[in-house]
Amino acid sequence: MSGSEKLNRVVELLDQRGLDGLIIYSSGATMGPKYLYYFSEVKPLGTHNAAVVTKAGDVTLLVQPQWDTLRVSEKGWIKNIIGSSNFLKDLDDVLLKSKITGSMGIVDSTAIPADVYSVIADRAKVELADDLIEKVALERVSEEIELARKTAKIADTGFKACLENVRVGIREWEILAEIEYAMRSAGADDCFNLMSSGKHNHAGHAPRERKLREGDILIFEISAICGLYIQLCRTVVLGEPSKIVLEKYALLVQALEESLKEIRPGSPSALIAKAQNRVLSAAGYGEYCRPPYMAKRGHFSNIVYHAPDRNLDEHVKTILTSGQVVIVHPNQYIPETGYLMCGETILVTDTGFERLSETEAKVYVKEV
Amino acid sequence: METMQPTLIRGRDVWDPTHMPKAEFLERVSKIQNEMKKENIGVLLVYGKSFESGNICYVGNTVPRTAGGGTVIIIPQQGEVALIYGGSSREVFATKQITWIDEVIPSSRFAEDCVNYLKEKNLLSSTIGTVACKRLMPYAQWKVIREGTKQCKMVDADHILTGMRMVKSKRECDQIRRASRIINHVLGSIPDTTLKNMNEEFLEAVLDKEARMAGAEDIRILIAKPKTGEWALRPPEDAQITRGDSLIIHLAASFERYWSEGIRTFVAESASLTQPKLEDARALYKRITQGIKSGKTASQCYKEAVDELQKSKVDYIPTYGLGQGVGLDLQEAPMLTGEDSTMLKEDMLLTLHLAIKDADLGAIMLGNTIYLAKDGAELLTKES
């Protein structure tokens, strides 16, 4: 969908909702839906950015820092760009010039700081309108699907680098540096990698000083980011793995495979978590499928998706549609082994699903 | 310099108490509580996000590592300090590894839990001070806090921490020196590196790894090709670097929360980057640096720098400013502008940028992290 097509669709939806305008805000990088990135087609750099759209179809993009306007004008489709050194004042000026006095929709509403909200509320009646861009983004484009496939290869590359470099004596932060070097060299815009090492892990975390030892169980959550996230969760054992680790990991693989059977257009996404929890509960780990041990069984991962359903659990309402990108991870704390990671990213297709990762779901063993 | 924020702060996540002991944090809290007493503030809410975490780091040594994540530290005028972060209980252990604060509370209903904590601990005092709350906290959360504390007077208390953070302790200066060593190491390694792929993103990958292997916690890289018509600093792209290109590299890295930055200008060869001599620009930079001294205001230093630039008859590019304070945030007070009347003092740390047009290279940029000693400015990221 081109920029002008997105704008036309937004204007149509503004009209249907009786809104005089829309502010699509971004405070930069986000773990949630990337509304402004989707709409403007440029990754925001600074901590305050916003597109102001009027019901007449005029659009102004406020960009911070001021000097980033050149990049934004070269990469995106919006022509009217204002580099801002005083965001609150500049936003107020744009609202004044746009003559929006009725109802104004705000998008990325959960990120808008109190100061920015006050400026908007002083000029117009504010309505939350995240769903408006979510509706536009539902019309998935082939480019996003191709991007998902490309990004999945980068995550695979990261895990391959992990296997090549992991060894006794390397520190946690050194192994992640190797992984991220491989991922960035392969074209990742950004990485979101967590890990843990030890005989009994409790959760993935940012890398620490710890040096890896023989017998360690290593868990990795490797996410490549190129607009959308593609995640790969895998477990590596440094040296001979114990029988119990192999046995319990097979349970996670079974949970993964069972949950994938629930993925097809029209299927409730909550069934993914239910299938995983069913397998794990049947094996006696029902109480470990709940907090504080576990909560979510994956995430939605398109550039924009229905924000309240970001995390996959048994209660999400989203019905799966073709083109959705879903991270599915039956990662599990198991008292006998500690936390084990097993998960990957799945594309919902017209007929079912496609596994985007080429890295097999199994325990990886690195000889020492 | 503002930079592209990462989705996750990915590097070495360590608190080394030999570098920054608990006693230093307790001393800071004690000073804050004294200021609170003077201003009749019963409790202080210090808020921070991943992209501006200096205040919560200053108090609690903690930084929300994921984009958008928020943390509040509650400081009563007397009594225990508490930290509430938006996240799951599984993260408590990791959070406690880097903070001295014992009361660490995970929360999925951040604002509600904040209000409940204030109520439970009888901290709904007549006056609540807020630091960075209105500026950074999402409106919906702020509204819940405001409604839950409506019987209290809310006062903006940013100035308490801003004032304290500008002048660094000896240990803070040492941390910034450590971060500066990473900058020196990485920028210094560039001319010796053979690039198997003359691509901006590959160069970024190489620099990122070099910094990370030197112990960096967070790394930011901007790039510019000033020979190519209109240009500006920007994140590296999937674009080739061609022999003869001039290349400006801005590198910032943090070490155990503390930042340093450096900017250098290079020329591309077939598989490497070389550093041109730039003798005039360096001499000019040195003269400007010598003018930055404690006992002068930030605006006075700025005006003297502008005078020096005019005297030198260079074509100055003001786009990126002259510089500002650096420490727990990459950009903090004071600002080297014509409007900032802050008196510069010994033990302040600043970044100083110079951007000028150049007939051969398009433009030259030089930038360093400087320490204000008693007898003048010391470059911490001095080129070898």
Side-chain angles (χ1 to χ4, degrees):
Chain A
M1 195 186 285
S2 69
S4 60
E5 283 170 328
K6 283 178 199 170
L7 179 60
N8 289 341
R9 188 83 180 96
V10 165
V11 170
E12 197 181 303
L13 291 169
L14 283 176
D15 190 45
Q16 282 173 20
R17 287 269 289 265
L19 292 168
D20 290 338
L22 190 71
I23 295 180
I24 308 163
Y25 177 80
S26 170
S27 57
T30 173
M31 292 289 292
K34 299 170 181 66
Y35 299 104
L36 185 61
Y37 173 73
Y38 169 79
F39 183 71
S40 69
E41 297 173 3
V42 192
K43 192 175 171 186
L45 192 151
T47 49
H48 282 311
N49 304 269
V52 180
V53 185
T54 69
K55 65 178 177 184
D58 297 323
V59 53
T60 305
L61 186 58
L62 272 170
V63 169
Q64 206 183 45
Q66 228 170 356
W67 46 260
D68 196 35
T69 51
L70 179 67
R71 180 186 71 97
V72 174
S73 64
E74 284 174 352
K75 300 277 163 205
W77 59 272
I78 299 171
K79 299 288 170 231
N80 187 18
I81 300 165
I82 298 174
S84 174
S85 58
N86 184 340
F87 187 80
L88 298 181
K89 184 186 170 299
D90 293 337
L91 176 63
D92 194 41
D93 286 349
V94 171
L95 293 178
L96 192 65
K97 280 181 194 151
S98 305
K99 295 179 181 158
I100 298 170
T101 52
S103 295
M104 172 68 92
I106 54 170
V107 177
D108 211 351
S109 53
T110 57
I112 293 184
D115 270 354
V116 176
Y117 185 95
S118 298
V119 168
I120 304 166
D122 283 349
R123 294 269 168 222
K125 183 172 169 275
V126 176
E127 279 190 32
L128 309 186
D130 291 0
D131 60 305
L132 199 144
I133 295 295
E134 288 164 9
K135 266 186 200 153
V136 178
L138 263 180
E139 294 163 32
R140 308 281 177 215
V141 290
S142 54
E143 289 93 329
E144 187 173 348
I145 291 167
E146 278 318 302
L147 189 63
R149 290 196 179 105
K150 174 196 146 190
T151 313
K153 285 194 171 44
I154 298 173
D156 283 333
T157 301
F159 188 67
K160 201 172 157 216
C162 168
L163 291 178
E164 282 166 7
N165 289 286
V166 72
R167 60 188 179 273
V168 170
I170 193 169
R171 292 183 192 278
E172 286 188 354
W173 51 270
E174 290 171 323
I175 186 66
L176 279 196
E178 294 286 3
I179 293 171
E180 283 159 21
Y181 170 69
M183 291 168 75
R184 281 189 180 273
S185 299
D189 274 355
D190 198 357
C191 307
F192 188 104
N193 296 332
L194 300 173
M195 71 169 295
S196 184
S197 66
K199 302 289 183 281
H200 192 100
N201 297 299
H202 287 87
H205 49 70
R208 300 197 192 122
E209 202 77 338
R210 187 179 184 276
K211 285 183 178 175
L212 306 190
R213 296 175 202 156
E214 185 173 354
D216 274 355
I217 299 168
L218 315 171
I219 54 174
F220 292 94
E221 179 179 314
I222 294 173
S223 302
I225 305 171
C226 294
L228 43 66
Y229 291 73
I230 298 293
Q231 196 169 91
L232 180 64
C233 300
R234 290 291 184 260
T235 299
V236 179
V237 177
L238 210 46
E240 196 59 38
S242 66
K243 255 173 79 178
I244 191 91
V245 167
L246 294 172
E247 182 191 310
K248 299 305 170 190
Y249 201 81
L251 187 63
L252 268 61
V253 174
Q254 188 195 341
L256 173 68
E257 298 301 333
E258 286 299 314
S259 66
L260 295 186
K261 290 177 187 167
E262 304 292 348
I263 300 184
R264 61 193 166 275
S267 177
S269 57
L271 294 181
I272 297 171
K274 282 180 182 167
Q276 293 180 15
N277 290 343
R278 194 169 55 238
V279 171
L280 292 157
S281 298
Y285 298 108
E287 69 171 296
Y288 294 98
C289 292
R290 295 186 290 274
Y293 302 103
M294 292 308 307
K296 48 202 179 230
R297 293 302 188 186
H299 319 271
F300 284 97
S301 187
N302 287 87
I303 295 173
V304 170
Y305 51 87
H306 183 49
D309 285 352
R310 178 176 155 213
N311 296 322
L312 270 182
D313 59 27
E314 293 196 0
H315 310 291
V316 285
K317 301 277 190 285
T318 298
I319 302 295
L320 297 175
T321 56
S322 182
Q324 267 172 340
V325 179
V326 192
I327 296 164
V328 177
H329 56 47
N331 297 337
Q332 183 62 46
Y333 177 77
I334 289 181
E336 296 92 325
T337 61
Y339 195 72
L340 300 175
M341 280 190 171
C342 173
E344 56 197 75
T345 307
I346 305 296
L347 172 69
V348 184
T349 63
D350 291 343
T351 54
F353 68 88
E354 176 186 332
R355 297 176 96 129
L356 294 178
S357 173
E358 290 172 359
T359 305
E360 191 186 344
K362 64 173 190 178
V363 174
Y364 285 80
V365 178
K366 182 73 188 253
E367 285 181 27
V368 294
Chain B
M1 193 84 71
E2 194 138 19
T3 56
M4 183 69 82
Q5 305 160 48
T7 313
L8 173 75
I9 298 170
R10 295 166 291 119
R12 180 179 173 272
D13 184 26
V14 169
W15 172 29
D16 184 343
T18 55
H19 291 159
M20 195 55 69
K22 181 177 173 181
E24 175 133 351
F25 293 104
L26 294 177
E27 197 180 318
R28 291 175 191 174
V29 169
S30 172
K31 280 185 187 166
I32 291 168
Q33 287 171 326
N34 281 339
E35 292 303 310
M36 288 165 65
K37 265 181 213 155
K38 281 185 208 163
E39 299 189 25
N40 202 24
I41 293 170
V43 62
L44 193 67
L45 306 182
V46 183
Y47 184 73
K49 298 201 85 161
S50 55
F51 57 80
E52 194 184 317
S53 55
N55 288 322
I56 53 170
C57 258
Y58 187 73
V59 180
N61 197 38
T62 187
V63 50
R65 297 187 80 84
T66 53
T71 294
V72 70
I73 294 181
I74 300 175
I75 309 174
Q77 208 183 79
Q78 284 180 319
E80 194 181 11
V81 174
L83 184 156
I84 302 177
Y85 69 89
S88 75
S89 53
R90 286 192 301 129
E91 296 159 42
V92 170
F93 180 76
T95 307
K96 284 194 167 187
Q97 297 291 299
I98 57 158
T99 185
W100 62 273
I101 298 171
D102 294 326
E103 183 85 285
V104 173
I105 303 164
S107 170
S108 56
R109 297 164 69 247
F110 185 78
E112 287 85 348
D113 288 343
C114 197
V115 172
N116 289 339
Y117 182 85
L118 292 171
K119 282 182 185 160
E120 277 166 25
K121 301 285 177 182
N122 292 319
L123 290 173
L124 287 176
S125 73
S126 57
T127 304
I128 298 176
T130 64
V131 176
C133 290
K134 276 186 80 179
R135 197 160 45 79
L136 299 179
M137 190 181 282
Y139 169 73
Q141 292 177 3
W142 173 248
K143 194 177 160 199
V144 170
I145 288 180
R146 204 59 204 96
E147 281 170 4
T149 60
K150 60 187 167 196
Q151 68 273 39
C152 311
K153 185 181 163 196
M154 284 270 190
V155 295
D156 192 336
D158 279 44
H159 61 277
I160 295 179
L161 267 78
T162 305
M164 286 173 63
R165 284 177 52 196
M166 272 195 287
V167 177
K168 270 62 176 181
S169 70
K170 166 92 175 56
R171 288 192 186 93
E172 289 187 288
C173 295
D174 287 345
Q175 291 290 64
I176 296 170
R177 282 179 191 278
R178 292 181 183 104
S180 299
R181 279 205 281 272
I182 296 173
I183 299 291
N184 279 339
H185 167 71
V186 178
L187 291 175
S189 73
I190 292 174
D192 300 327
T193 304
T194 302
L195 294 165
K196 64 177 179 191
N197 186 356
M198 288 293 277
N199 174 284
E200 291 180 16
E201 280 184 343
F202 180 69
L203 174 65
E204 181 187 30
V206 170
L207 302 183
D208 186 86
K209 182 182 169 187
E210 201 68 37
R212 211 166 284 297
M213 285 302 198
E217 180 173 20
D218 196 353
I219 296 148
R220 311 289 174 87
I221 298 165
L222 295 170
I223 203 166
K225 285 177 180 163
K227 229 174 176 176
T228 52
E230 245 191 308
W231 66 276
L233 283 171
R234 56 174 170 73
E237 295 167 358
D238 183 13
Q240 284 305 113
I241 302 167
T242 312
R243 186 183 178 132
D245 276 349
S246 47
L247 207 68
I248 294 167
I249 297 175
H250 166 273
L251 175 73
S254 66
F255 177 83
E256 294 177 9
R257 321 291 109 79
Y258 284 88
W259 285 95
S260 176
E261 73 167 32
I263 309 172
R264 302 285 181 268
T265 304
F266 298 90
V267 174
E269 301 295 335
S270 56
S272 62
L273 302 176
T274 57
Q275 243 179 316
K277 286 196 170 156
L278 312 176
E279 280 163 355
D280 292 345
R282 280 168 212 259
L284 172 61
Y285 188 91
K286 192 176 174 185
R287 289 198 297 280
I288 292 171
T289 309
Q290 283 166 345
I292 297 178
K293 285 182 176 165
S294 56
K296 292 181 184 176
T297 63
S299 58
Q300 190 183 346
C301 291
Y302 172 81
K303 282 167 194 157
E304 287 175 12
V306 170
D307 287 346
E308 189 60 52
L309 288 161
Q310 281 169 352
K311 244 194 301 180
S312 304
K313 294 187 177 149
V314 293
D315 206 345
Y316 174 56
I317 303 166
T319 313
Y320 303 98
L322 196 62
Q324 69 271 313
V326 65
L328 288 166
D329 284 313
L330 191 46
Q331 297 184 100
E332 52 184 59
M335 302 295 291
L336 291 175
T337 63
E339 292 80 39
D340 192 333
S341 58
T342 304
M343 185 64 73
L344 298 187
K345 292 179 183 164
E346 194 183 334
D347 294 331
M348 282 186 172
L349 274 298
L350 303 165
T351 57
L352 179 67
H353 320 135
L354 174 64
I356 51 176
K357 288 187 184 167
D358 182 83
D360 295 329
L361 300 171
I364 295 165
M365 277 187 81
L366 295 171
N368 289 292
T369 300
I370 62 173
Y371 165 67
L372 285 192
K374 201 174 184 177
D375 50 354
E378 177 195 349
L379 261 59
L380 301 188
T381 48
K382 198 173 178 179
E383 291 174 69
S384 54

